Every structure is written in C-alpha cells, then in structure tokens.
Amino acid sequence: MAAQLDELDRKILGELQLDSSQSLDEIARKVGSSKTPVWNRIRRMREQGVITRQTAILDAEALGLEACFFVLIRTSEHEAEWQRKFLKTLRDRPEVLEAHRLAGDIDYILKVRVRNARAYDQFYQALISEVKIYNVTALLSMEEIKSTTVLPL
Amino acid sequence: MAAQLDELDRKILGELQLDSSQSLDEIARKVGSSKTPVWNRIRRMREQGVITRQTAILDAEALGLEACFFVLIRTSEHEAEWQRKFLKTLRDRPEVLEAHRLAGDIDYILKVRVRNARAYDQFYQALISEVKIYNVTALLSMEEIKSTTVLPL
DNA sequence: CATGAAATAACCGTAGG
DNA sequence: CCTACGGTTATTTCATG
C-alpha cells in the first residue's frame, strides 16, 4: 500500500500541502527541480492515490460553526446490521467531520462541528433515535490549539 | 466574526471544498453564474478569511502513516508557564494533527498520526518528558470511518 | 454583472544528456 | 530519469461598458 517516494517527491508533497495553488514553475523552483519532472511526479502521485484531492480549507468560526465536540460512544450492539446503519448515519451527517472505530472499551469517536450547543443536542437526539447506543460522552472543545491537514513526510 | 454570505457564496464554497482545482468557468457554470462575480466573491472571501488556504489532501496510509491515536490528557498543572510550553510542544510536533483544550474533567484531546505503535510510544515518551502530565489515555483507531475537511454550509 | 483582452500557466509533445 | 525548449490550449486577472 505505501508508495515508494524519494526526497524530491516528498518536497513536492510538502509544497502542495502548504499551498496547492502554487504554479508548477514556483514549486519546481522551491524544490530545486524543473517543470517537467515536477509535473510528471504530481501526475503519478495522483494516479497512485497519494494525492487524494485538492480542497479549500474554510474557517469554521467565520461560517458560524462555533462549537466543536468530540463524542465518545460505547455500544452493546455489534451486529452487522446495526453497524451498517450506524456507519451510514455518520457518513450521511455533514456535521460529523471525523468518525473512527476504536480498539478498547470505547467503541467509536466522532468529531462534530455545529453552530452551537443546541445544534449539537439536535444532532445527538437524531443519532440516538436512529440507532441504539449504550453510552455517550461528549467532550466540548474550548479552544482549537491546532488543526491541520498537513501530514508529516 | 461570522461573515454574511448569501446563497451564491455558499454554493461557491461548496464547489471549492469539493475540488479547488476547478476552473472559474466550471465553478461559475455549476453555481449558475459567470466568471467575474465568482472571481470577485472568491477574492473577497479570501480577504475576509472565510477561505483560509488551498491544500492537497494526501492519503496517510499511502505515506506509511498507518496508525492514528486519539489521546485524552488530564493534567494537574494549570500555570501559565506550563501551558505555554505544552502548547508549543503540540504545535511543533508534526504528528499532532489536532489539539483541543476541553471543558470538563479531561483537559486536552489530541489526534496523532504516526507510522506505527512504536512511533506513537516515542511521541508519548517525548511528550511526558517535556511536560508534566497527570493522566493519559490513548485510543487507537482501528478504522477511519469518515474523515473530511468539508464543512456543512 | 457581462464582455473581452492580455498575461500567465497548464499540458504535452520532442530532442538531447 | 532529468533538462530544456516550444507550441497549443486553458485559465486567471483585470479593465471597461
């Protein structure tokens, strides 16, 4: 699964993570190469799936999404049908930005971005009405110290 | 803080979140407008800070970053100096993708992406040697059900 | 907001090391 | 696999009505 990347590939990825709107010439100059190899490598990494997509990162506060919760979920249900429905609910809900199945006594963790605490409660009520859940703990973020999509290379 | 955005602004943001490499013409066509207004609105939203930056999303697995942990931290220290050092450590560490200060009995939550469990342990040892921490719980992700940068508009 | 023109950049060859 | 160059097309950027 892990692609074999050399130092130049990593430098290119670093630049694209910092600012993907840079021109090929600019990236080439910064990584100490030229346009053609940079272009070929970017194309190759796209095809390999190393580069997933290109996106605009928006400011959640500026959009009025002022509340962020991490939700710890324990469930007693482990049937395939229950899980299928639960996962579909998470994927369909746009306020769920992250969802992971965990090892250990907590089964799932979610990251949820909403307008305010009231909107979180609406999400929570909708969630527990759709699928049976044993125990839920919501952790309210007071301050986003760091939030990045930049992966270490 | 929250910017006032109309329906067209939101549609444009939606397109940029889905794929920021689309041309202005393409975006304009999809949102039912034309090039000039779309361009002016994007520029305005950049200046306002609604659009933070443009980035390439990479596949962590393809880069060999196969382990993801959520780390729950309790501390007894609440001095300014301790906190300053703790936050600096988190910001400086590239494997820390998210860090939030929380309300309630858990003080902080981190999301950490590393090569494997061994690399997490190295991170953990480095962290507790740099700052005094009362209690740490690491939750290991078994499956990334969802992970998106797309905010609901 | 529309039109369109000028500058810039992407894309994709080819040749040569 | 790299550099270097060009040429076509696409796109951005901005002036003007």
Side-chain angles (χ1 to χ4, degrees):
Chain A
M1 183 76 200
Q4 48 281 323
L5 305 170
D6 64 15
E7 206 42 51
L8 183 55
D9 288 325
R10 285 172 205 282
K11 284 184 184 169
I12 294 168
L13 291 177
E15 288 303 322
L16 288 175
Q17 288 197 111
L18 283 180
D19 179 3
S20 69
S21 72
Q22 295 177 93
S23 73
L24 282 178
D25 277 326
E26 210 167 339
I27 294 169
R29 189 177 49 75
K30 287 190 187 170
V31 303
S33 181
S34 63
K35 220 168 52 168
T36 312
V38 170
W39 190 74
N40 284 324
R41 282 159 183 262
I42 290 175
R43 194 164 50 83
R44 197 194 69 232
M45 292 191 284
R46 259 193 244 279
E47 284 163 6
Q48 287 178 331
V50 176
I51 300 171
T52 305
R53 63 203 193 86
Q54 207 167 312
T55 191
I57 303 294
L58 309 184
D59 184 322
E61 307 275 330
L63 291 169
L65 298 170
E66 297 187 341
C68 179
F69 289 85
F70 288 87
V71 185
L72 308 179
I73 295 175
R74 270 181 258 248
T75 176
S76 42
E77 302 279 331
H78 292 96
E79 283 177 49
E81 178 54 24
W82 178 90
Q83 193 181 43
R84 194 200 57 73
K85 193 173 173 189
F86 181 59
L87 298 195
K88 178 168 165 40
T89 303
L90 299 180
R91 293 206 177 98
D92 288 351
R93 286 255 162 200
E95 59 269 63
V96 177
L97 302 188
E98 297 233 11
H100 292 250
R101 185 167 58 79
L102 301 174
D105 65 324
I106 296 169
D107 296 304
Y108 296 94
I109 188 169
L110 315 181
K111 181 188 172 191
V112 179
R113 263 264 172 218
V114 285
R115 190 155 298 276
N116 50 37
R118 188 188 184 80
Y120 171 74
D121 192 53
Q122 286 169 357
F123 162 78
Y124 169 74
Q125 297 294 339
L127 183 68
I128 61 171
S129 77
E130 284 189 50
V131 287
K132 189 176 152 195
I133 289 172
Y134 174 66
N135 181 276
V136 176
T137 304
L139 308 175
L140 169 61
S141 172
M142 290 282 97
E143 182 189 359
E144 189 176 274
I145 298 163
K146 184 177 187 176
S147 179
T148 183
T149 59
V150 176
L151 300 178
L153 297 175
Chain B
M1 183 79 201
Q4 49 280 324
L5 306 171
D6 65 14
E7 205 42 51
L8 183 53
D9 288 326
R10 285 172 203 280
K11 283 184 186 172
I12 293 168
L13 291 177
E15 288 302 323
L16 288 176
Q17 288 197 109
L18 282 180
D19 179 4
S20 68
S21 72
Q22 294 178 94
S23 72
L24 282 177
D25 276 328
E26 210 167 337
I27 295 169
R29 189 178 49 75
K30 287 190 188 170
V31 304
S33 181
S34 64
K35 220 169 45 168
T36 312
V38 170
W39 191 74
N40 285 324
R41 282 158 184 264
I42 290 175
R43 195 162 51 84
R44 197 194 69 234
M45 291 192 283
R46 259 193 245 279
E47 282 162 7
Q48 287 178 332
V50 176
I51 300 171
T52 304
R53 63 203 191 87
Q54 206 168 313
T55 191
I57 302 294
L58 309 185
D59 183 322
E61 307 273 331
L63 292 169
L65 298 170
E66 297 187 342
C68 179
F69 290 85
F70 287 88
V71 185
L72 308 179
I73 294 175
R74 270 180 258 248
T75 177
S76 41
E77 303 279 331
H78 292 94
E79 286 175 48
E81 179 54 21
W82 178 90
Q83 193 181 44
R84 195 200 55 74
K85 193 173 171 188
F86 180 59
L87 298 196
K88 178 167 165 41
T89 303
L90 298 180
R91 292 204 177 100
D92 288 351
R93 285 256 161 201
E95 59 268 63
V96 177
L97 302 187
E98 297 232 9
H100 292 250
R101 185 166 59 79
L102 301 175
D105 65 325
I106 296 170
D107 296 303
Y108 297 93
I109 187 170
L110 316 181
K111 181 187 171 192
V112 179
R113 263 263 172 218
V114 283
R115 190 158 295 278
N116 49 38
R118 186 188 186 79
Y120 172 73
D121 192 53
Q122 286 168 359
F123 163 77
Y124 169 73
Q125 297 294 339
L127 183 68
I128 60 172
S129 76
E130 285 189 51
V131 287
K132 190 177 152 194
I133 290 172
Y134 173 66
N135 182 276
V136 176
T137 304
L139 308 175
L140 169 61
S141 171
M142 290 281 96
E143 183 189 359
E144 188 177 274
I145 297 163
K146 183 177 188 176
S147 178
T148 184
T149 59
V150 176
L151 300 177
L153 297 174

